Amino acid sequence: MKPVLVLMNGALRLDDHPALAKACATGAPVIPVFILDDAAAGDWKLGGAKRWWLRESLIALSSELESKGSALVRRSGNTLDILMALIEETGAGALHMTRAYEPHLAKLQDAVYDLAEELGVTCRRFAGNLLLEPEQVRNKTGGVYEVFSPFWRRALELIDGTTPTPAPEDIPAPETWPESYTLDLDPKPAHWAEPIAAFWTPGEAAAHERLADFLDGPVAEYKDMRDIPSVDATSRLSPYLANGEISPRRIWHEAMIARGEESAREKGADWFLRELGWREFSTHLLFNFPHIPERPLKSKFAAFPWREGYDDAVTAWQKGQTGFPIIDAGMRQLWQTGWMHNRVRMIVASFLVKDMLWHWRTGEDWFWDTLVDADLANNAASWQWVAGCGADAAPYFRIFNPVTQGEKFDPKGAYIREYVPELKDLPDEYIHAPFEAPVGVLKMAGITLGKTYPKPMLDRKAARERALAALESTKGE
């Protein structure tokens, strides 16, 4: 039988992998392939953090495949040229891949499909990275949902209890393997990945372990504790989902089993799955409004007078040197771990686009480069949500106060003390606003504002007034 090529891009796993499972079911030799095609990604070439993650994930995937008697063929370059060469080299009669929803990847997959047709190769595209396909969730008039709650209510009516397909016991191997190459996935600067590597273990096995640990414990407190950044109460599965190391259907299935009849566990699981729903919603938005990574969904915000480009103020925000502790803690957590707590993501984003009045794309670009869970749909939809210009967006006039947000969600300053250690000796009452602390208190804590810790980079009252005035300028649009 002619071999089946399985393009593993977007689904770096063996469990609940329809494209791989169907290939194995044919009984033909199966050749898993991963292609790094930076040129096809255009402006959305993988960021530094995700390149590191991908490197480690491919190592893990190769090991898993080898345990099944298989291997991973790795190539770098033009996807169409590489597939054409592999089809000729292996005599493959079929090509399977997992459906992508990002505009540039969907376009590339269309081209792959056309190439396969030209070569007389059967090409199949399988769902696998969403609970529901974008075409399935429509409102009563057949339109697209732009508000999350009705979207999720409809999705809950459609999601079925289909059991995910387990990883194949063995994967039929070809008589000879195509050559595989080392990919250039080293992050730059190289030392940046060292603290990230200490924090994360990429790969499918780690994803399943993380899910099991979460469902065994923290899920029961998820509803009440998910907004507290100093507590490990969230699943931290986002990078595994973003890199295709675990499927949302597997997470859904295991979470539904774990719900049980205990009230707290049931509520916690339901709130957790709701967050999975936000991921679905973001992808559905990107599919239906493919311009949202670059342009606002609400057209009136096209004229909004955001600042653009980069200067010292943006650098201070990126490095966690704004003088507002909860902002600085979040940005330093991002740099040190490649991840940031979701509540803090909202706070730092609000600060950039509303207090600093900087364009949301500036933050979108920084998150794309520094997050191990960088996802085009989530990133674009979330930044537009905070900026007030996206679907179901927070009203623009809702401007998070970093001091009161810190007091509410990090009341003892545990999160701040972990990531802004120069403030660790401040009393709780001043940890969120060291600029309000008496000189004597600062001296006892070993702090000199402007030297050991920055003075506030802006006057929040003036910043708020400036932001609201900017909003007024769009009212006539």
Side-chain angles (χ1 to χ4, degrees):
M1 298 178 70
K2 291 184 177 181
V4 181
L5 298 179
V6 179
L7 193 57
M8 302 295 286
N9 290 56
L12 304 178
R13 61 180 186 271
L14 305 187
D15 175 71
D16 194 33
H17 195 308
L20 177 63
K22 290 292 185 181
C24 292
T26 66
V30 174
I31 303 175
V33 178
F34 179 86
I35 301 173
L36 178 65
D37 189 347
D38 283 332
D43 293 338
W44 301 107
K45 186 174 79 171
L46 292 178
K50 203 167 179 183
R51 290 181 85 84
W52 169 82
W53 190 287
L54 177 59
R55 184 187 67 186
E56 301 302 309
S57 185
L58 291 175
I59 292 172
L61 178 61
S62 294
S63 179
E64 288 291 331
L65 285 167
E66 288 169 9
S67 73
K68 304 286 185 180
S70 186
L72 180 65
V73 176
R74 288 179 275 193
R75 298 282 176 95
S76 178
N78 181 280
T79 297
L80 300 182
D81 291 345
I82 291 170
L83 287 176
M84 186 181 297
L86 283 172
I87 289 169
E88 181 178 352
E89 182 180 350
T90 63
L95 169 63
H96 290 186
M97 54 189 172
T98 301
R99 185 183 185 187
Y101 307 94
E102 299 88 340
H104 62 285
L105 294 180
K107 181 179 179 181
L108 178 61
Q109 289 191 340
D110 288 342
V112 168
Y113 192 94
D114 291 342
L115 173 67
E117 191 173 53
E118 289 177 15
L119 298 176
V121 172
T122 301
C123 186
R124 298 186 64 187
R125 204 170 356 191
F126 295 84
N129 285 338
L130 289 176
L131 293 169
L132 296 166
E133 295 305 290
E135 297 87 353
Q136 291 179 267
V137 190
R138 299 286 173 172
N139 60 30
K140 292 179 179 179
T141 63
V144 178
Y145 285 104
E146 294 186 39
V147 177
F148 173 73
S149 293
F151 166 87
W152 190 232
R153 283 195 298 269
R154 179 59 181 148
L156 289 173
E157 295 172 354
L158 296 171
I159 296 170
D160 59 37
T162 303
T163 301
T165 305
E169 289 296 325
D170 59 83
I171 301 173
E175 291 184 8
T176 58
W177 284 95
E179 192 170 359
S180 187
Y181 303 106
T182 300
L183 305 180
D184 180 15
L185 288 168
D186 292 333
K188 297 175 180 58
H191 69 270
W192 178 39
E194 293 175 7
I196 297 177
F199 194 80
W200 295 102
T201 303
E204 181 177 9
H208 285 261
E209 182 177 353
R210 181 68 192 174
L211 175 61
D213 288 345
F214 175 70
L215 295 178
D216 283 345
V219 71
E221 298 181 337
Y222 182 79
K223 183 178 184 297
D224 297 323
M225 302 299 291
R226 71 190 190 282
D227 280 327
I228 309 301
S230 63
V231 178
D232 187 14
T234 62
S235 73
R236 297 196 184 183
L237 283 167
S238 55
Y240 300 101
L241 277 165
N243 289 279
E245 294 160 321
I246 192 168
S247 75
R249 186 164 52 179
R250 172 60 66 188
I251 294 174
W252 179 273
H253 180 73
E254 300 299 328
M256 293 300 285
I257 293 174
R259 285 171 84 246
E261 297 180 358
E262 180 190 344
S263 176
R265 180 168 293 277
E266 183 177 350
K267 288 180 180 178
D270 287 346
W271 275 90
F272 168 60
L273 293 175
R274 183 179 173 87
E275 294 303 313
L276 201 59
W278 274 101
R279 177 181 179 272
E280 295 275 316
F281 183 53
S282 296
T283 305
H284 286 243
L285 287 173
L286 179 63
F287 178 83
N288 289 291
F289 306 103
H291 65 275
I292 62 171
E294 289 87 24
R295 304 195 309 276
L297 184 63
K298 295 179 180 177
S299 59
K300 75 172 186 177
F301 278 89
F304 194 92
W306 274 303
R307 300 173 181 176
E308 298 194 54
Y310 294 88
D311 70 359
D312 291 344
V314 174
T315 300
W317 176 80
Q318 291 174 336
K319 292 185 175 181
Q321 296 289 338
T322 68
F324 293 92
I326 193 69
I327 304 294
D328 295 338
M331 299 307 294
R332 295 186 198 184
Q333 182 186 32
L334 172 60
W335 185 251
Q336 294 171 28
T337 70
W339 184 85
M340 191 193 303
H341 188 277
N342 189 59
R343 167 55 59 174
V344 186
R345 294 188 197 200
M346 291 189 279
I347 300 170
V348 303
S350 175
F351 188 82
L352 180 72
V353 299
K354 295 177 179 177
D355 289 88
M356 295 174 63
L357 213 61
W358 229 268
H359 203 296
W360 54 268
R361 286 198 308 260
T362 303
E364 181 188 32
D365 288 345
W366 184 246
F367 274 25
W368 181 257
D369 192 40
T370 54
L371 281 171
V372 291
D373 63 6
D375 174 280
L376 190 62
N378 285 350
N379 201 27
S382 297
W383 275 97
Q384 289 215 31
W385 182 87
V386 172
C389 59
D392 202 13
Y396 185 81
F397 56 79
R398 184 187 180 194
I399 304 174
F400 283 129
N401 182 323
V403 175
T404 57
Q405 287 284 306
E407 292 170 343
K408 182 176 181 179
F409 298 109
D410 188 32
K412 296 295 183 181
Y415 177 72
I416 289 171
R417 288 184 171 89
E418 179 176 1
Y419 290 103
V420 191
E422 60 266 42
L423 301 180
K424 63 182 174 61
D425 292 328
L426 270 180
D428 293 353
E429 61 184 302
Y430 296 114
I431 191 69
H432 298 287
F435 45 86
E436 294 180 354
V439 173
V441 171
L442 291 172
K443 186 175 182 180
M444 289 187 65
I447 298 168
T448 302
L449 293 180
K451 291 184 178 181
T452 61
Y453 184 70
K455 294 179 181 178
M457 66 183 295
L458 51 78
D459 180 319
R460 284 213 68 258
K461 182 179 179 181
R464 178 180 174 82
E465 291 174 354
R466 185 171 60 244
L468 294 178
L471 177 64
E472 284 296 318
S473 72
T474 70
K475 291 293 179 67
E477 297 296 322

